[in-house]
Coordinates of all heavy atoms in Angstrom, one line a residue:
K987 N 134.1 114.4 -247.2 CA 134.3 113.9 -248.6 C 135.8 113.5 -248.8 O 136.1 112.5 -249.5 CB 133.9 114.9 -249.6 CG 132.4 115.2 -249.7 CD 132.1 116.2 -250.8 CE 130.6 116.5 -250.8 NZ 130.3 117.6 -251.9
E988 N 136.7 114.2 -248.1 CA 138.1 113.9 -248.2 C 138.5 112.8 -247.2 O 139.7 112.6 -247.1 CB 138.9 115.1 -248.1 CG 138.7 116.2 -249.2 CD 139.4 117.5 -248.9 OE1 140.1 117.6 -247.9 OE2 139.4 118.4 -249.8
Q989 N 137.6 112.3 -246.5 CA 137.9 111.2 -245.5 C 138.8 111.7 -244.4 O 139.6 110.9 -243.8 CB 138.5 110.0 -246.2 CG 137.6 109.4 -247.3 CD 136.3 108.8 -246.7 OE1 136.3 108.2 -245.5 NE2 135.2 108.8 -247.4
Q990 N 138.7 113.0 -244.0 CA 139.5 113.5 -242.9 C 138.6 113.5 -241.7 O 138.1 114.5 -241.2 CB 140.0 114.9 -243.2 CG 140.9 115.0 -244.4 CD 141.3 116.4 -244.8 OE1 140.9 117.4 -244.0 NE2 142.1 116.6 -245.8
M991 N 138.5 112.4 -241.0 CA 137.5 112.2 -240.0 C 138.0 112.9 -238.7 O 137.1 113.3 -237.9 CB 137.4 110.7 -239.7 CG 136.9 109.9 -240.9 SD 135.4 110.6 -241.6 CE 134.2 110.4 -240.3
Q992 N 139.3 113.0 -238.5 CA 139.7 113.7 -237.3 C 139.3 115.2 -237.3 O 138.9 115.8 -236.4 CB 141.3 113.6 -237.2 CG 141.8 114.1 -235.8 CD 141.4 113.3 -234.6 OE1 141.1 112.1 -234.8 NE2 141.3 113.9 -233.5
S993 N 139.5 115.8 -238.5 CA 139.1 117.2 -238.7 C 137.6 117.4 -238.6 O 137.1 118.4 -238.1 CB 139.6 117.7 -240.1 OG 141.0 117.6 -240.1
V994 N 136.9 116.3 -239.1 CA 135.4 116.4 -239.0 C 135.0 116.4 -237.6 O 134.1 117.2 -237.2 CB 134.8 115.2 -239.8 CG1 133.4 115.1 -239.5 CG2 135.1 115.3 -241.3
K995 N 135.6 115.6 -236.7 CA 135.2 115.6 -235.3 C 135.5 116.9 -234.6 O 134.7 117.4 -233.8 CB 135.9 114.4 -234.6 CG 135.5 113.0 -235.0 CD 136.3 112.0 -234.2 CE 135.8 110.6 -234.6 NZ 136.6 109.5 -233.9
I996 N 136.6 117.5 -234.9 CA 137.0 118.8 -234.3 C 136.0 119.8 -234.7 O 135.5 120.6 -233.9 CB 138.4 119.1 -234.6 CG1 139.4 118.1 -234.0 CG2 138.7 120.5 -234.1 CD1 140.8 118.3 -234.4
M997 N 135.8 119.9 -236.0 CA 134.9 120.9 -236.5 C 133.4 120.7 -236.0 O 132.7 121.6 -235.8 CB 134.9 121.0 -238.0 CG 136.2 121.6 -238.5 SD 136.2 121.9 -240.3 CE 136.3 120.2 -240.9
A998 N 133.1 119.4 -235.8 CA 131.7 119.1 -235.3 C 131.6 119.7 -233.9 O 130.5 120.2 -233.5 CB 131.5 117.6 -235.3
K999 N 132.7 119.6 -233.1 CA 132.6 120.2 -231.7 C 132.4 121.7 -231.8 O 131.7 122.3 -231.0 CB 133.9 119.8 -230.9 CG 134.0 118.3 -230.6 CD 135.3 118.1 -229.8 CE 135.5 116.6 -229.4 NZ 136.7 116.4 -228.7
D1000 N 133.2 122.3 -232.7 CA 133.0 123.8 -232.9 C 131.6 124.1 -233.3 O 131.1 125.1 -232.9 CB 134.1 124.3 -233.9 CG 135.5 124.2 -233.4 OD1 135.6 124.2 -232.1 OD2 136.4 124.2 -234.2
L1001 N 131.1 123.3 -234.2 CA 129.7 123.6 -234.7 C 128.7 123.5 -233.5 O 127.8 124.3 -233.4 CB 129.4 122.6 -235.8 CG 128.0 122.8 -236.4 CD1 127.8 124.2 -237.0 CD2 127.7 121.7 -237.5
V1002 N 128.8 122.4 -232.7 CA 127.9 122.3 -231.6 C 128.0 123.5 -230.6 O 127.0 124.0 -230.1 CB 128.2 121.0 -230.9 CG1 127.4 120.9 -229.5 CG2 127.8 119.8 -231.8
R1003 N 129.3 123.9 -230.3 CA 129.5 125.0 -229.4 C 128.9 126.3 -230.0 O 128.3 127.1 -229.3 CB 131.0 125.1 -229.2 CG 131.4 126.1 -228.1 CD 132.9 126.3 -227.9 NE 133.5 125.0 -227.5 CZ 134.3 124.3 -228.3 NH1 134.6 124.8 -229.6 NH2 134.8 123.1 -228.0
T1004 N 129.1 126.5 -231.3 CA 128.6 127.7 -232.0 C 127.1 127.7 -231.9 O 126.5 128.8 -231.6 CB 129.0 127.7 -233.4 OG1 130.5 127.7 -233.5 CG2 128.5 129.0 -234.1
R1005 N 126.4 126.6 -232.1 CA 125.0 126.5 -232.0 C 124.5 126.8 -230.6 O 123.5 127.4 -230.4 CB 124.5 125.2 -232.5 CG 124.6 125.0 -234.0 CD 124.1 123.7 -234.5 NE 124.2 123.5 -235.9 CZ 123.9 122.4 -236.6 NH1 123.6 121.3 -236.0 NH2 124.0 122.4 -237.9
Q1006 N 125.3 126.3 -229.6 CA 124.9 126.6 -228.2 C 124.9 128.1 -227.9 O 124.1 128.6 -227.2 CB 125.8 125.8 -227.3 CG 125.6 124.3 -227.3 CD 126.5 123.6 -226.4 OE1 127.5 124.1 -225.9 NE2 126.3 122.3 -226.3
Y1007 N 126.0 128.8 -228.4 CA 126.1 130.2 -228.2 C 125.0 131.0 -228.9 O 124.5 132.0 -228.4 CB 127.5 130.7 -228.6 CG 128.6 130.5 -227.6 CD1 129.5 129.5 -227.7 CD2 128.6 131.2 -226.4 CE1 130.5 129.3 -226.8 CE2 129.5 131.1 -225.4 CZ 130.5 130.1 -225.6 OH 131.5 129.9 -224.7
I1008 N 124.7 130.5 -230.1 CA 123.6 131.2 -230.8 C 122.3 131.1 -229.9 O 121.5 132.0 -229.8 CB 123.4 130.5 -232.2 CG1 124.5 130.9 -233.1 CG2 122.0 131.0 -232.8 CD1 124.5 130.2 -234.4
T1009 N 122.0 129.9 -229.4 CA 120.8 129.7 -228.5 C 120.9 130.6 -227.3 O 119.9 131.2 -226.9 CB 120.7 128.2 -228.1 OG1 120.7 127.4 -229.2 CG2 119.5 128.0 -227.3
K1010 N 122.1 130.7 -226.7 CA 122.3 131.6 -225.5 C 122.1 133.1 -225.9 O 121.4 133.8 -225.1 CB 123.7 131.4 -224.9 CG 123.9 130.1 -224.2 CD 125.3 130.0 -223.6 CE 125.5 128.7 -222.9 NZ 126.9 128.6 -222.3
F1011 N 122.5 133.5 -227.1 CA 122.3 134.9 -227.5 C 120.8 135.1 -227.7 O 120.3 136.2 -227.3 CB 123.1 135.1 -228.8 CG 124.6 135.3 -228.5 CD1 125.5 135.2 -229.6 CD2 125.1 135.6 -227.3 CE1 126.8 135.4 -229.4 CE2 126.4 135.8 -227.0 CZ 127.3 135.7 -228.1
I1012 N 120.2 134.2 -228.2 CA 118.7 134.3 -228.4 C 118.0 134.5 -227.1 O 117.1 135.3 -226.9 CB 118.1 133.2 -229.2 CG1 118.7 133.2 -230.7 CG2 116.6 133.2 -229.3 CD1 118.3 132.0 -231.5
E1013 N 118.4 133.6 -226.1 CA 117.8 133.7 -224.8 C 118.1 135.0 -224.1 O 117.3 135.7 -223.5 CB 118.4 132.5 -223.9 CG 117.7 132.4 -222.6 CD 118.2 131.2 -221.8 OE1 119.1 130.5 -222.3 OE2 117.8 131.1 -220.6
M1014 N 119.4 135.5 -224.2 CA 119.8 136.8 -223.6 C 119.0 137.9 -224.3 O 118.6 138.9 -223.6 CB 121.3 137.0 -223.8 CG 122.1 136.1 -223.0 SD 123.9 136.2 -223.3 CE 124.2 137.9 -222.9
R1015 N 118.8 137.9 -225.6 CA 118.0 138.9 -226.3 C 116.6 138.9 -225.8 O 116.0 140.0 -225.6 CB 118.1 138.7 -227.8 CG 117.4 139.8 -228.6 CD 117.5 139.5 -230.1 NE 117.1 140.6 -230.9 CZ 115.9 141.0 -231.1 NH1 114.8 140.3 -230.6 NH2 115.6 142.0 -231.8
S1016 N 116.0 137.7 -225.5 CA 114.7 137.7 -225.0 C 114.6 138.3 -223.6 O 113.7 139.0 -223.3 CB 114.2 136.2 -224.9 OG 113.0 136.1 -224.3
H1017 N 115.6 138.1 -222.7 CA 115.6 138.7 -221.4 C 115.7 140.2 -221.5 O 115.1 140.9 -220.7 CB 116.8 138.1 -220.6 CG 116.7 136.7 -220.2 ND1 115.4 136.1 -220.0 CD2 117.6 135.7 -220.0 CE1 115.6 134.8 -219.7 NE2 116.9 134.5 -219.7
L1018 N 116.6 140.7 -222.4 CA 116.7 142.1 -222.6 C 115.4 142.7 -223.1 O 115.0 143.8 -222.6 CB 117.8 142.4 -223.5 CG 119.3 142.2 -223.0 CD1 120.3 142.4 -224.1 CD2 119.6 143.1 -221.8
Q1019 N 114.7 142.0 -223.9 CA 113.4 142.5 -224.4 C 112.4 142.6 -223.3 O 111.6 143.5 -223.1 CB 112.9 141.7 -225.5 CG 113.7 141.8 -226.8 CD 113.4 143.1 -227.5 OE1 112.4 143.8 -227.2 NE2 114.3 143.5 -228.4
G1020 N 112.5 141.6 -222.4 CA 111.6 141.6 -221.2 C 111.9 142.8 -220.3 O 111.0 143.5 -219.8
C1021 N 113.2 143.1 -220.1 CA 113.6 144.2 -219.3 C 113.1 145.5 -219.9 O 112.7 146.5 -219.2 CB 115.1 144.3 -219.1 SG 115.8 142.9 -218.1
A1022 N 113.2 145.6 -221.3 CA 112.7 146.8 -221.9 C 111.2 147.0 -221.8 O 110.7 148.1 -221.5 CB 113.1 146.8 -223.4
L1023 N 110.5 145.9 -221.8 CA 109.1 146.0 -221.6 C 108.7 146.4 -220.2 O 107.8 147.2 -219.9 CB 108.4 144.6 -221.9 CG 108.4 144.2 -223.4 CD1 107.8 142.8 -223.6 CD2 107.6 145.2 -224.2

Side-chain angles (χ1 to χ4, degrees):
K987 288 180 181 179
E988 295 175 357
Q989 299 296 325
Q990 298 178 4
M991 302 308 296
Q992 189 66 28
S993 299
V994 169
K995 290 181 180 179
I996 294 173
M997 288 187 291
K999 290 181 181 179
D1000 290 340
L1001 180 61
V1002 171
R1003 190 181 300 111
T1004 301
R1005 288 179 176 175
Q1006 289 177 352
Y1007 276 109
I1008 290 174
T1009 304
K1010 288 182 180 179
F1011 284 163
I1012 293 173
E1013 184 178 0
M1014 290 173 63
R1015 188 180 189 281
S1016 176
H1017 290 329
L1018 288 175
Q1019 289 289 342
C1021 292
L1023 291 176

